[in-house]
Amino acid sequence: MSDTLLLLLLPINRRLRLALALTLALPWAYAAADRHEATFSLYAPQAKSVEVIGDFNQWQSGVTLLVGPDEKGMWRAKLPLPTTLTRIEYVYWVDGAQRRIDPGQPVVQDGFFGENNVLVLP
């Protein structure tokens, strides 16, 4: 199923909130030549909400929501990131209360007794 179709299947209030969040968090998203595209995905079939927080969005909750779960329990989002970024740290925030890392991605210590995922951009 395409990302566009998944977005259309969301309730209208969730689609508007996602569009607004991406517009506010990523004001440079329209400059296609000056961006990377990163795909974030997490298996969380029982989750009610999943978002990605990281240094690219100032670790703010409620800004970068993932869409899902799909029929396999996956949540996903494709995000434009400026080409000036070469590395980001991030974690998933599940149901507004649980911090989760992606076990399939590299991790670094967060400096507070935990770990963050790290994504190196081309």
Side-chain angles (χ1 to χ4, degrees):
M1 187 176 295
S2 76
D3 292 338
T4 303
L5 183 55
L6 284 173
L7 279 175
L8 291 175
L9 293 176
L10 286 174
I12 186 70
N13 62 338
R14 205 158 160 215
R15 278 185 286 171
L16 291 173
R17 198 172 70 188
L18 179 62
L20 179 60
L22 289 174
T23 301
L24 293 174
L26 308 170
W28 27 257
Y30 60 87
D34 296 329
R35 66 182 176 141
H36 300 289
E37 188 169 85
T39 301
F40 296 91
S41 59
L42 182 71
Y43 177 74
Q46 303 303 319
K48 302 287 185 243
S49 67
V50 176
E51 56 189 299
V52 61
I53 59 174
D55 54 8
F56 66 95
N57 65 6
Q58 291 73 47
W59 299 97
Q60 297 213 5
S61 178
V63 176
T64 313
L65 307 173
L66 279 69
V67 176
D70 66 13
E71 63 279 353
K72 295 179 183 176
M74 295 298 293
W75 291 76
R76 291 186 173 80
K78 285 185 184 178
L79 300 178
L81 297 169
T83 56
T84 55
L85 289 178
T86 58
R87 176 186 182 277
I88 62 169
E89 289 188 30
Y90 68 96
V91 295
Y92 294 103
W93 191 239
V94 178
D95 293 337
Q98 182 185 15
R99 180 184 164 103
R100 290 207 11 214
I101 60 166
D102 184 343
Q105 295 297 321
V107 296
V108 294
Q109 295 301 310
D110 70 1
F112 300 102
F113 311 108
E115 296 177 321
N116 295 332
N117 284 110
V118 63
L119 175 64
V120 177
L121 299 163

